Every structure is written in structure tokens, then in C-alpha cells.
Amino acid sequence: MQTIAVALEHRPYAIHVGHGILPRLGELCRAAGLGRQVALITDHTVAGLHLGPAATGLREAGFKVTEVLFAGTDSAKNLRTAEEIFGQLIRAGLDRKAWVLALGGGVVGDLAGFVAATFLRGIPFVQVPTTIVAQVDASIGGKTGVNHALGKNLIGAFHQPRLVCIDTALLHTLPRRELVAGLAEVVKHALIRDAALFAFLEKNIEKAASLELAPDQLDWLIAANARIKAAVVVADEKESQLRAILNYGHTIGHAIESASQYGYLHGEAVILGMIGAGEIALQRGMWPAAERERQDQLLARLGVPPGLGRLSADLIAERTRTDKKRLDGRHRFVLARCIGQVEIVDGISDGEVRAAVEYVQRQHP
Ligand SMILES: NC(=O)c1ccc[n+]([C@@H]2O[C@H](COP(=O)([O-])OP(=O)(O)OC[C@H]3O[C@@H](n4cnc5c(N)ncnc54)[C@H](O)[C@@H]3O)[C@@H](O)[C@H]2O)c1
Ligand SMILES: [Zn+2]
């Protein structure tokens, strides 16, 4: 097991990463000084696969565990579900010393984190992420929240976990489509911060997508990515705006998610968005063609989702205009300078965005 220290000024915490560490969860939570009573929040799918060892480990370590299950779909990540869960916590007698454990993907983590942030004005919480997206992204950084009928993730709070416990063995039950979507964020991390990680992916992307990496390689990969997310989040405390680089591929990606009415998984849309951002950087002369080719080749091997040609380029381009990161009528994009280094660029025109969307459509109809 390796431990990554997240050195936030007011609330430092540890991320433990290891293959098969779930049975040690109780011991790790005791060492973190958490109270005796815990609400373990998870979804039905994850409960069927991984709840047993998690709950047993906690009980054996002396914790009183209340199990809370919900549907776990993005459409259930809302205030109504949160309210139902509040009721269960009140009936179970949770007090201010109690805490919440999120066992699941980003949906469970966001909702359980939001419940922990707001129940009794905030109780501690622990993340046990079970998807790649959650292990390398959603569980780190303290963003919690729920969707509103008028938009995703509009209601929420920052609430840092006390501990993140990543068992990479849990990924073996994940469907391939979810693995690929998660690896999109991994490619993004490599592209924005880490050329050596990018080179590792160029050697191993097929093995990663079918989870045929050796346990120590998988641990290395997940830990490297958790470290990148944590480092960006910590640096952003002082140098605000740095966190924005995590949005590489996300402006066009979000627009595609919205224009397709969420017909793509988030990570799939980000794959298309990175190809689009690559095209803008290339056309601006910021990024050499050979480097853009390396990105697009890697994404092609990971698997670019089909069907973008069926959507209207106008609609996608229009949806980028409603992106919250847009400034003064021009677009703000994260663009690559070289593999491992990006820049935040203001003043991208509608025409550039539209041309990039059409490029992605031509390449991946
Ligand atoms: N807070 C943040 O910073 C942040 C960052 C990125 C994404 N998010 C949020 O995360 C959510 C997406 O998270 P996600 O991609 O993890 O998807 P998810 O939570 O919807 O999980 C995907 C599916 O996989 C199942 N699953 C989870 N773990 C499994 C396992 N080990 N084996 C088999 N099946 C498993 C789930 O039940 C679900 O059906 C979105 O709501 C998004 O807004 C938040
Ligand atoms: Zn993302």
C-alpha cells in the first residue's frame, strides 16, 4: 500500500492506494480517528459486489455500521434522494460524532459527500471510490453535490474527505465501457501534467483498458493519477485558476454531453473533446502536428465513441457558448503546448470551435 499526502492548509488528509486493501478499511478508519458510528452509503450494484468485505472490516474494527443503499444512477443524484438519506441517518440516531463512508463511483461519492457536508451542518466523510473516474478524479478535491432538474452539479458544497481509500482490485468488476471512460481522464492527466505517464500509456493502453496490467502496475497508474489530481487541487489553494487545467477536453466534451442528451458517458465525450481541443491548438500553431498525432493515436487505441456525425455541429458549438467557463463572448480553452504541458487561452472564436467540432465529426462520424 502507498500513501499520498494531500497537503491542504486547513484539512490535510491521506489517500491510501493498494490492490486488495478493502479488508483493511476498518483499521485505516480507526487510525484516522473517526467516531464509532458510520453510515455506509453505496448503490445497489456496488453493494452486490463489494459491500460485504467493506462492512465486515468496519464492524470487526468496532464501528457501528448503518447501510444506506440508493439507485446510484446520475438521475438519482438529486435533493430528493439526499432527503431520503437524511431521514435514514436521523432514524439511525447519527449524531455529530458520526461520519459517512461513500463506497462507489462518482455518483455515490458526490451524493454521499453532499449528505456529509450538510447533515448536522457537516460531519466527516471517507471516500472508498470504486470506478477509475472516482479513484483518479471525483474522490479527490472535495467537490460534492447533486443535480438539479435545470442542470448537472448545480447544488453542492466543498467538503474535504478525512481519508480516501483506493482498492484497485475493485476495478476488476467494472464494465469495459466504464473503464475506457475512466481512462479518458487518465489520458487527460498525462496530457496536462506528465509526459512520462503519457509514454507509459502509449506502451500499455490496451492492457489498461482490459485491466490486464499487473497489480503493481495498476497501483502505480492509479496512484500517479491520484497524485496529479491532488497536486493540482493543493496548488490551486494558493495559485487559483490552476484547477482550470483539469478542464482539458471538457468545453467541447460538456457540449457534446448536453447536445446528445447524455447519450455519451462523460469520459467518452471528453475523448471527443480532447480531439477537438487538439485541433484548435494545432490550427493556432501552438502545438506541433506530430504531438497532436500522438494524442489522437492514443485516443484511437483507447476507443473513440462513434456517432458524433449524427449530431449537429451548430448545436454542439452553441452548447459550448453556455459553458460556465466562457468569458466576455469569447471562449476560454485549455490548449496543449506539448505533451505534459497546457495553457489556458482566452479569446477562442465561435468559428474556431465550430471548425474543431467539424474536424472531430469528419474523423469520427
Ligand atoms: N466531485 C468531482 O470532482 C467529480 C469529478 C468527476 C465526476 N464527478 C461525478 O461523478 C459521476 C460519474 O462517476 P463515475 O464515472 O464513477 O460513474 P458512476 O458513479 O455512475 O458509476 C458507473 C456505474 O458503475 C457501477 N460501478 C461502480 N463501481 C463498480 C465496480 N467496482 N464494479 C462494477 N460496477 C461498478 C455503478 O453502479 C454505476 O452503474 C457524475 O455524477 C459526475 O458528475 C464528480
Ligand atoms: Zn471529467
Side-chain angles (χ1 to χ4, degrees), residues 43 46 102-110 127-131 134 138:
D43 68 35
V46 176
L103 174 70
V107 165
V108 170
D110 278 11
Q127 291 266 24
V128 184
T130 64
T131 62

Side-chain angles (χ1 to χ4, degrees), residues 175-204:
R176 183 180 168 99
R177 195 174 166 198
E178 298 287 348
L179 283 171
V180 168
L183 286 168
E185 303 283 1
V186 166
V187 172
K188 178 196 79 179
H189 282 154
L191 211 293
I192 64 175
R193 285 289 261 203
D194 193 337
L197 173 60
F198 195 91
F200 173 90
L201 294 170
E202 286 183 311
K203 269 205 194 115
N204 295 296

Side-chain angles (χ1 to χ4, degrees), residues 43 45 49 74 77 105-107 110 130-131 133 138 143 153 170 173:
D43 68 35
T45 308
L49 295 165
D74 214 54
K77 195 180 102 176
V107 165
D110 278 11
T130 64
T131 62
V133 169
K143 279 190 186 173
N153 297 320
L170 304 184
T173 55

